[in-house]
Amino acid sequence: AKVRILLLAGGQSGEHEVSLSSARGVLAALPKDRFEVTPLVISKEGRWLPPADTTRALEAGVAETGGDLMLRGVADAASFDVVFPLLHGPNGEDGTVQGLLTLAGIPFVGSGVLGSAASMDKAMTKQVLAAHGIPQVPWRLLTRAQVRRDPAAALTAARELGFPLFVKPANMGSSVGISKVRGEDELDGALREAFAHDRRVVLEAMTQGKPRELEVGILGNDAPMASPVGELRFDADFYDYETKYTEGRATMHIPADVPHAVAEQVRTYALAAFRALDCAGLARIDFFYEAATGQVYLNEVNTMPGFTPTSMYPNLWAAAGLSYADLVTRLVELATEDR
Ligand code: ATP
Ligand code: MG
Ligand code: MG
Ligand code: MG
């Protein structure tokens, strides 16, 4: 019998549009003889769209409004074998939807509540990784309330880290809300931008010079495997939203042309991070490599990485001999196996 998959896409997130393009990729690539896939788009308002509206939203690439409260959707979701929450960012990749599906007793692809939440929040991720001795750039957490109480806190933190530095919403992706801050005069604007997306904001020291960006895919539950290491190259100052989603701005190199020992370090740290954060199913774990010093830093863990046929995660596994269709099949299997 065919496996009945409910594919959730869109969502109330700064990465709504990215999620819809991942979903179009999965829908087009899944073998129809093995899977019966039903897409369900969640609008930017967080409501679940009926089938006709879902089809329209997938074509348009966005759903601003419309739909029902998710409670009705959850009842419908119970008639599927597995839910694939192909949602990026807040209200999707952060444990919220995972909690809903857990309560409803429906198996789903990817990390559970803890792994999703701990990996989505950059500050929480860093605290867990630090406890496991995984190298990271120096950083500071600021909350909106803290900055309101003590307006000088941000400047103090920034001076401790030095410039340039990066300001990021703790819970986001696709570089939404992220700024590179070159001096004190740019700090306020960057904070305003980041706090517009999250009440928690992370300041990060920049690597020594523009880093090389290495990414590795993890697949599995209790016995996870690491893919070959890939590298992203681009001309832009940093890997911002436009560079990520404008055709031709960035290129993927798999395997990355780095010393064997560097690739092994990346894979080892990635597996350690996956376990430490209680991830399951899949994750794309991203690193900075300072070629001048040879130092590797773990940047972040993405529990629901971009998933179009040209995205890094499926291509890392293709390099390991796993086709896009086989990869999705494996993810669906992992959803119902022991975590
Ligand atoms: P994703 O879309 O992968 O989820 P994200 O929105 O979570 O990304 P980051 O990966 O944290 O954002 O940062 C985006 C980009 O900004 C990085 O890929 C890198 O180009 C640049 N960057 C971020 N932090 C640093 C840093 N500390 N030093 C140097 N470059 C950085
Ligand atoms: Mg991210
Ligand atoms: Mg992300
Ligand atoms: Mg990133």
Side-chain angles (χ1 to χ4, degrees), residues 14-339:
E15 296 185 271
H16 174 98
E17 288 86 350
V18 179
S19 165
L20 289 190
S21 79
S22 288
R24 279 195 302 267
V26 168
L27 276 170
L30 274 179
K32 306 280 181 290
D33 56 325
R34 277 139 89 188
F35 302 106
E36 190 183 301
V37 190
T38 305
L40 193 164
V41 169
I42 301 173
S43 76
K44 283 192 174 180
E45 292 178 341
R47 292 174 174 245
W48 295 33
L49 301 188
D53 294 351
T54 282
T55 305
R56 263 196 297 280
L58 281 169
E59 280 163 13
V62 61
E64 298 286 347
T65 59
D68 296 318
L69 282 177
M70 46 83 180
L71 286 178
R72 266 194 60 186
V74 174
D76 296 343
S79 62
F80 292 86
D81 298 314
V82 171
V83 174
F84 194 151
L86 193 52
L87 302 161
H88 307 304
N91 293 325
E93 193 178 347
D94 62 352
T96 49
V97 167
Q98 289 74 14
L100 190 70
L101 296 171
T102 302
L103 279 174
I106 310 167
F108 57 92
V109 170
S111 292
V113 171
L114 177 60
S116 298
S119 302
M120 181 86 271
D121 186 284
K122 290 179 188 292
M124 192 57 66
T125 304
K126 288 172 190 297
Q127 283 165 355
V128 174
L129 300 185
H132 288 259
I134 296 173
Q136 309 174 71
V137 296
W139 63 281
R140 297 284 184 277
L141 170 68
L142 294 171
T143 65
R144 212 184 267 144
Q146 180 191 0
V147 171
R148 206 181 301 128
R149 203 184 325 116
D150 174 13
L155 192 56
T156 305
R159 284 181 176 155
E160 285 167 4
L161 296 171
F163 296 95
L165 56 81
F166 281 81
V167 174
K168 312 178 177 184
N171 293 272
M172 193 46 76
S174 291
S175 302
V176 173
I178 294 186
S179 307
K180 180 174 173 182
V181 175
R182 291 160 187 82
E184 292 186 4
D185 56 319
E186 293 177 4
L187 188 60
D188 276 351
L191 287 168
R192 219 170 303 122
E193 173 67 22
F195 277 127
H197 296 280
D198 199 346
R199 34 175 288 277
R200 288 158 65 79
V201 160
V202 165
L203 269 54
E204 271 184 40
M206 189 185 168
T207 52
Q208 281 184 44
K210 184 176 161 178
R212 289 178 66 183
E213 307 212 17
L214 306 180
E215 304 193 343
V216 62
I218 305 294
L219 177 65
N221 287 339
D222 187 48
M225 298 183 306
S227 74
V229 175
E231 177 172 12
L232 281 158
R233 293 200 197 146
F234 49 85
D235 289 331
D237 191 32
F238 74 97
Y239 199 30
D240 57 9
Y241 188 93
E242 204 190 326
T243 310
K244 280 178 186 173
Y245 301 112
T246 310
E247 185 76 35
R249 291 285 174 89
T251 51
M252 275 183 324
H253 302 263
I254 307 171
D257 184 15
V258 295
H260 178 73
V262 170
E264 279 312 297
Q265 243 186 354
V266 162
R267 288 155 50 94
T268 304
Y269 286 138
L271 285 167
F274 189 89
R275 290 182 198 281
L277 291 159
D278 193 32
C279 294
L282 76 165
R284 195 196 74 224
I285 306 194
D286 301 347
F287 292 82
F288 298 138
Y289 172 46
E290 273 178 7
T293 61
Q295 180 66 47
V296 153
Y297 299 102
L298 200 155
N299 170 32
E300 60 154 344
V301 175
N302 292 290
T303 52
M304 194 51 75
F307 217 99
T308 74
T310 58
S311 295
M312 182 62 100
Y313 184 81
N315 281 289
L316 289 169
W317 285 107
L322 204 59
S323 72
Y324 192 92
D326 289 345
L327 175 61
V328 178
T329 306
R330 184 70 197 119
L331 287 172
V332 168
E333 287 168 5
L334 285 166
T336 53
E337 287 177 14
D338 277 352
R339 295 275 159 129

